[in-house]
Amino acid sequence: MIKVADFNKTKLKLPTFEILVQDRKVRCLIRKKWVELTPEEWVRQHFLNLLVNHLGYPKGLIKLEQPLRYFKNSKRSDISILNRTQGLFMVVECKASQVYIDQEVVKQVSEYNKVLKASYMSVTNGINHFVWRYNDEGVKQLSTFPEYGDQ
């Protein structure tokens, strides 16, 4: 059985907040419903807190687990953020804190973005965070996450 104390042992490098946990479920900031508490969901909720409460991303433009097709494979992006014109601003892949962010993880989100064509792509395990900007000049890794108004 997973306990909240198990998640708190690993200190995420994300802002803390009052996270609602009941039994083995967590109250999602975006979906406004109880979802299964997994190590990946723990990271996702903390990352959503960063986006919404610290970087100004509107909740209404954040979509979770959006389906996509890559060749013949059906996949889901963890977090998709729309821009004001409903185009895709950023795609985010969340991993559990114990998952090392390696080339395979970056490849996974890069493949998603080949289909989605977001302006920004990000990967996080709650401890290490990476973000890249895509434009006509190519791909550039950034040292900080863009605030929503930076689009």
Side-chain angles (χ1 to χ4, degrees), residues 58 60-62 80-90 117-119 148 151:
L61 296 179
I62 297 175
S80 300
I81 304 160
L82 303 175
N83 60 29
R84 291 183 179 94
T85 60
Q86 300 297 306
L88 195 57
F89 178 68
M90 183 185 295
K117 302 193 184 320
S119 300
Y148 190 75
Q151 58 173 324

Side-chain angles (χ1 to χ4, degrees), residues 70 91-95 99-114 120-125 128-134 139-141:
Y70 184 72
V91 61
V92 180
E93 180 65 24
C94 297
K95 297 295 184 187
V99 174
Y100 181 73
I101 304 293
D102 61 9
Q103 192 60 37
E104 284 303 309
V105 174
V106 174
K107 181 181 173 189
Q108 177 186 1
V109 73
S110 295
E111 288 179 356
Y112 290 176
N113 205 36
K114 285 179 186 175
Y120 294 88
M121 180 185 86
S122 177
V123 177
T124 182
N125 63 3
N128 298 300
H129 324 286
F130 301 94
V131 63
W132 297 268
R133 178 180 170 87
Y134 286 80
V139 180
K140 179 182 178 185
Q141 186 170 354

Side-chain angles (χ1 to χ4, degrees), residues 1-34:
M1 174 186 266
I2 299 172
K3 298 178 183 172
V4 175
D6 295 336
F7 294 107
N8 286 331
K9 288 177 185 173
T10 302
K11 295 292 182 195
L12 301 180
K13 291 183 181 173
L14 291 167
T16 59
F17 71 110
E18 185 74 26
I19 189 165
L20 299 175
V21 177
Q22 185 177 59
D23 298 322
R24 291 186 295 181
K25 297 196 180 267
V26 61
R27 182 78 176 169
C28 179
L29 290 172
I30 302 302
R31 294 171 276 196
K32 297 181 181 166
K33 67 179 187 177
W34 294 95

Side-chain angles (χ1 to χ4, degrees), residues 53-65:
N53 296 318
H54 297 271
L55 297 176
Y57 287 67
K59 285 183 182 181
L61 296 179
I62 297 175
K63 308 296 179 200
L64 303 180
E65 298 184 342

